[in-house]
Amino acid sequence: MKKLINDPADVVSEALLGMAAAHPELRIDHENKIIYRADAPVQGKVALVSGGGSGHEPLHGGFVGPGMLDAACAGEIFTSPVPEQVMAATRGVDGGAGVLHIVKNYTGDVMNFDMAAELAAAESGVEVVAVVTDDDVAVQDSLYTAGRRGVGVTVLVEKIAGAAAAEGRDLAAVADVARRVDAAGRSMGMALTSCTVPAAGRPTFDLPDDEIEIGIGIHGEPGRRRVPTAPAREVAEMLVEPILSDLDFTGGDGVLAFVNGMGGTPLLELYLMYNEVATILAKSGVTVVRSLVGPYITSLEMAGCSVTLLKLDEDMLRLWDAPVRTPGLRWGV
Amino acid sequence: MADSTATIDAAGIDRWIRAFATAVAENEGMLTRLDSAIGDADHGSNLARGLKAVLAKLDGSPPEGPAALLKQTGMTLVSSVGGASGALYGTFFLRMATAAGATDALDQAGFAAALRAGVDGIVARGKAEAGDKTMYDALAPAVDALDAALGGEDFAGALRAAAAAAAAGRDATTPLQARKGRASYLGERSIGHQDPGATSAALLIAAAADTLG
């Protein structure tokens, strides 16, 4: 294992020290591993808290700032944060208008955020609503599994719900738009290589040089299937087809197409993939009106990508275009 | 020896938790191996880390009474383990504490009721059903066996019956297809592997049989 680290045990805390040094507009509680926007709590505004295992950067800490999250809780690598952390963040951002928890659908994340919401309500009376993202079409048979995983759409939920909160909507309305985004978004990912959790020191799974894994999650979980290495054009088909067959993306106010890097794939290849995806969408009668290309929800140094499509309505489109100022997403300001 | 008056006080709870911690430490590698087959290879290390924190609290200045000890254990696990196992084991001990209530010592029926409340808490938190290939598959038969054996004279025997039922439930997870947690993403590929959560849960009940009878 070659990594730019000092000690595997200190990776998360030392990365947070770096975020604090690089971003004075953020305030970091190093003991609880919470990243706040420096002016939190913002009085009268619904606050957004997310969090999850580390290793997916810039998600979630890189999306803290005006127009997006008020706080993010960083767990150990690929391990959900604990309720105390989430409670502390919830108390720390509550400006009297309630707190929205944005939770990716993984068993540990859901349970720990549930406990935090119960404890926060019991101890401080902060009103909390949780929205769980579950957009990964690679998970079939949701009835017999933990359900679809929360992946790429989480980034879009955080942006759009963050904008809704910034323009002064109440907690129920912000939660409503977050749920609408989750319901209108679908994702599918693939890996060219595995990733190495620093504490483990070796790749999470073995993937031979001549094979790729289709339908991966963001923790090196297994995908739907393994196939021989293929040209980008064919890989794009393998990702887009299951998305389009799961939800009708034609018509309406158009689609946001998001090609996400898993951490180890250069932008050059991500743009090449975006071209393939856009070509397929055009042929399928899907109108793309917004795009996002880059590593936004990653799996350490895994090479590969995911495709997320979001069927926009007028409200979502306007909220997507609204100003945002975070380390990971920044426009209109 | 027949002992229908056995009660479980704070010292008993302390013995039980320490025995569980020892068993997890001894089986850490095995639990992690089981988890690497169908999960993310951290059940043993996460639980061992959490129980180390629990022991540190017990060695410090532990609170008085069984409920307070159970609560401290639950809170410590919740805040130090992370993931699903921290939430589930934490909830188990927290619900046990609530059910135990303010008493210096639980009688046998009180302990059995608290144990069942803990297991009910796991179900409420994890939404698991019998046969989902989870810790519930070891715990459900254990609390049923304990309740069935209670009315008799022999509490130690009742706890041994519970431990045997937990072990049988653990073994019965091997042919099951997982429907909860990360293992569920494997679908049919989860068949043929013993569930790590059911395995650690069986250690918990075995520790009770070893220390509370």
Side-chain angles (χ1 to χ4, degrees), chain A residues 119-321:
Chain A
L119 294 166
E123 286 190 4
S124 55
V126 178
E127 194 185 352
V128 174
V129 174
V131 171
V132 177
T133 60
D134 55 351
D135 53 309
D136 182 8
V137 300
V139 178
Q140 296 163 304
D141 245 355
S142 291
L143 278 180
Y144 300 107
T145 64
R148 287 182 167 175
R149 299 172 286 216
V151 287
V153 91
T154 313
V155 178
L156 312 181
V157 167
E158 292 178 1
K159 167 66 186 83
I160 292 173
E167 69 173 35
R169 293 190 199 178
D170 66 18
L171 180 58
V174 174
D176 176 67
V177 75
R179 287 194 196 98
R180 278 194 288 128
V181 173
D182 181 59
R186 297 288 188 280
S187 299
M188 179 86 174
M190 60 80 57
L192 299 165
T193 66
S194 181
C195 55
T196 297
V197 176
R202 55 189 168 74
T204 305
F205 58 90
D206 296 316
L207 193 52
D209 269 353
D210 56 352
E211 285 185 336
I212 58 178
E213 180 108 17
I214 304 292
I216 46 127
I218 50 172
H219 308 93
E221 311 99 307
R224 266 193 191 181
R225 63 185 198 277
R226 234 163 232 208
V227 301
T229 312
R233 189 167 300 127
E234 290 169 29
V235 174
E237 283 283 358
M238 291 182 228
L239 298 182
V240 175
E241 189 281 323
I243 294 175
L244 294 184
S245 60
D246 200 79
L247 189 69
D248 178 12
F249 281 91
T250 59
D253 294 286
V255 162
L256 188 163
F258 170 24
V259 170
N260 172 63
M262 300 306 299
T265 290
L267 268 175
L268 184 78
E269 292 174 31
L270 295 180
Y271 274 105
L272 190 156
M273 276 298 288
Y274 185 83
N275 176 52
E276 299 297 347
V277 169
T279 305
I280 297 168
L281 293 177
K283 272 190 214 153
S284 310
V286 174
T287 309
V288 178
V289 296
R290 293 293 182 276
S291 64
L292 184 67
V293 181
Y296 291 102
I297 170 168
T298 60
S299 192
L300 294 169
E301 78 279 40
M302 178 183 281
C305 72
S306 62
V307 173
T308 298
L309 298 184
L310 171 63
K311 192 172 187 180
L312 293 159
D313 59 30
E314 207 183 311
D315 187 43
M316 289 183 214
L317 181 57
R318 201 174 48 74
L319 293 169
W320 176 257
D321 288 340

Side-chain angles (χ1 to χ4, degrees), chain B residues 165-189:
Chain B
R170 170 201 66 202
D171 293 344
T173 61
T174 302
L176 297 174
Q177 176 172 337
R179 293 183 175 188
K180 286 286 181 298
R182 232 169 251 185
S184 69
Y185 300 131
L186 285 165
E188 289 178 359
R189 283 177 287 171

Side-chain angles (χ1 to χ4, degrees), chain A residues 78-80 82-84 105-108 111-112 114-115 118 139 144-149 219 221-224, chain B residues 40 42 46 75 78-84 87-88 91 94-95 125-127 178-182 184-186 189:
Chain A
F78 294 171
T79 300
S80 69
V82 298
E84 276 183 349
N105 189 34
Y106 296 95
T107 306
M111 287 182 195
N112 281 282
D114 268 357
M115 293 191 81
E118 285 170 22
V139 178
Y144 300 107
T145 64
R148 287 182 167 175
R149 299 172 286 216
H219 308 93
E221 311 99 307
R224 266 193 191 181
Chain B
D40 54 355
D42 62 4
N46 280 350
M75 289 305 290
V78 163
S79 61
S80 60
V81 177
L88 291 167
T91 299
L94 290 172
R95 296 288 174 98
R125 181 71 57 208
K127 321 261 181 325
R179 293 183 175 188
K180 286 286 181 298
R182 232 169 251 185
S184 69
Y185 300 131
L186 285 165
R189 283 177 287 171

